[in-house]
Amino acid sequence: MTTRLYENKIFLEHTTPAGHPERADRLRSLAIALEHPNFGQLERIEAPQANEDAVMLAHPESHFLSVMRQVPEEEGEIHQLESDTYLSSRSLAAALTGIGGAMAAVDDVFTGKADNVFVASRPPGHHAEKSKAMGFCLFNNIAIAARHAQKTYGVERVAIVDWDVHHGNGTQDIFWDDPSVLFCSTHQMPLYPGTGARDETGTKNNVVNAPLATNDGSEHFRDAFKSRVLPAVENFRPDFLLISAGFDAHHRDPLAQINLTGDDFDWATGRLMEIAGKYSGNRVVSLLEGGYDLEGLAESAGMHIIRLMKG
C-alpha cells in the first residue's frame, strides 16, 4: 500500500484560548509519534490551501461569508464564533488548507498517486452543519471531500464512517436526504451534540447511527461495528470510502467516557480497508477529527496510519 499524509505548519497557527482542548499540541504530539522508524515509508506532503469556492461544495456562500467576516485582523486576537468555537487571524487559512489537503487526498487516490491518505489537519470539521459552525469546526472537510469526489471523478456511491466519540451531526445534516452518500457513526450518547440516535436514519435510509453508552469499551464498539456499520457499508458497495477519524473514544480522553485503545482503531481501520478492497479499489481517505489527550491521540492515530500503510 502507498500511503500519504498531508500536513502543514499553518494548522498550528489556528489559535484557541488557553485551556481549550482543540489546540496545536495535538498535531505536535502526532508529529513526534511519526518520527518512529515505522513511518519511514510514509509519504509526507505539505497540504495545499483550497480556493474559497471549495467551501461551497458543501455550504452556502452565506455561511462562508459569515465565518470570514468574523476572522480577527490582529495577530493574537481570538474571536468567539460559537459557544466552544473560536477564530484567530490564521484560522481561515488553516481551515482552507485542511480542505485543500482533503481534496488533494481525493485526487491522489483517484489518480493512482496513493492507495490511501491521512490528513492531519485542524480545525476539525464533522460538527459543521450546512449553515452553522460549531463544536470546534468551521467547515465540514469530509463533506467537501465527498462532493469533490462526486463532482470531479463521477463517484456514484460515497461511504463516510465516523468513529469520533462525538456524533458527526454536521455530516449527517449535509447528507440527510442524499442517497448517494452513506453516513455511518459510532459515538457516545448522551454526549455533545445530542444527536445520533438509532432512529435517525435520513430520508433515504442512508444514515446509520450506532450509539454507545457511557463507559462502553472495546467489546461494545466492535459489536456496533460488526452489527450495524460494517453490514451497512458492505451492502452499500461504495466506490469510495472516507473516514472521520476522531480518536477521542480513547480511554484517556478527557471529553468522553468510552474506553477504547489503539488496538480498536487498528481493528476498525482494517475492517474498513477490507471493504474498500472489495468495492472501492482500495481508495480510502481519512481525515483527523477529535482526540484531545495527547498520548491517546498519538497512540491511536499512529496505529491507524500504520494499518493504512500495511493494507
Side-chain angles (χ1 to χ4, degrees):
M1 287 287 177
T2 302
T3 301
R4 284 186 165 184
L5 180 139
Y6 279 98
E7 55 193 347
N8 194 305
K9 291 181 180 178
I10 189 66
F11 298 137
L12 304 178
E13 299 181 38
H14 165 58
T15 306
T16 53
H20 195 283
E22 206 297 282
R23 60 207 190 277
D25 283 346
R26 300 176 62 229
L27 294 188
R28 295 190 181 102
S29 69
L30 178 57
I32 292 170
L34 293 176
E35 293 174 3
H36 192 279
N38 285 347
F39 300 97
Q41 300 301 311
L42 180 65
E43 296 185 7
R44 298 175 66 173
I45 300 175
E46 184 176 273
Q49 183 170 320
N51 295 325
E52 296 174 359
D53 287 349
V55 175
M56 272 64 87
L57 289 171
H59 301 279
E61 185 178 17
S62 58
H63 174 64
F64 173 77
L65 294 175
S66 174
V67 172
M68 185 179 70
R69 281 194 294 266
Q70 297 181 72
V71 174
E73 295 182 4
E74 298 295 326
E75 187 172 345
E77 189 177 356
I78 299 174
H79 284 181
Q80 187 173 20
L81 184 63
E82 206 257 350
S83 61
D84 54 11
T85 307
Y86 295 85
L87 288 167
S88 63
S89 61
R90 301 292 281 157
S91 294
L92 183 59
L96 289 173
T97 305
I99 292 168
M103 294 173 70
V106 173
D107 294 338
D108 287 346
V109 299
F110 279 97
T111 59
K113 294 178 181 177
D115 294 296
N116 54 63
V117 185
F118 182 77
V119 183
S121 62
R122 56 183 292 275
H126 74 147
H127 291 309
E129 297 182 345
K130 288 177 185 176
S131 300
K132 184 177 183 181
M134 59 184 288
F136 315 160
C137 305
L138 305 179
F139 309 119
N140 198 304
N141 304 338
I142 208 153
I144 293 168
R147 290 298 189 218
H148 177 56
Q150 291 178 323
K151 180 179 179 181
T152 305
Y153 300 101
V155 176
E156 294 181 358
R157 296 182 306 281
V158 180
I160 300 174
V161 176
D162 185 333
W163 64 51
D164 190 288
V165 82
H166 302 94
H167 181 245
N169 60 295
T171 313
Q172 177 172 290
D173 173 63
I174 290 168
F175 297 115
W176 183 254
D177 57 1
D178 184 350
S180 73
V181 177
L182 174 72
F183 174 67
C184 300
S185 176
T186 61
H187 48 274
Q188 182 178 332
M189 198 171 184
L191 193 67
Y192 181 91
T195 53
R198 287 173 66 104
D199 62 0
E200 295 173 21
T201 59
T203 60
K204 308 295 184 181
N205 288 318
N206 61 308
V207 171
V208 177
N209 285 305
L212 303 171
T214 302
N215 293 320
D216 275 354
S218 172
E219 181 180 355
H220 295 94
F221 170 74
R222 296 190 188 205
D223 283 348
F225 244 71
K226 289 186 283 190
S227 65
R228 293 188 54 80
V229 174
L230 296 176
V233 178
E234 182 91 36
N235 291 338
F236 190 65
R237 300 168 68 95
D239 302 312
F240 178 40
L241 182 60
L242 284 158
I243 301 173
S244 267
F247 299 101
D248 38 7
H250 190 278
H251 67 92
R252 292 179 55 95
D253 202 274
L255 298 192
Q257 298 81 38
I258 298 295
N259 299 306
L260 304 189
T261 68
D263 287 332
D264 295 307
F265 297 108
D266 169 85
W267 174 86
T269 306
R271 302 294 76 75
L272 292 175
M273 290 181 73
E274 289 173 1
I275 296 176
K278 288 184 185 178
Y279 307 114
S280 312
N282 291 313
R283 292 183 291 264
V284 176
V285 168
S286 176
L287 309 184
L288 179 64
E289 300 284 3
Y292 305 103
D293 177 82
L294 302 184
E295 183 179 325
L297 171 63
E299 175 202 350
S300 302
M303 294 184 74
H304 172 57
I305 294 166
I306 287 289
R307 176 55 57 192
L308 291 173
M309 294 171 67
K310 288 180 178 178

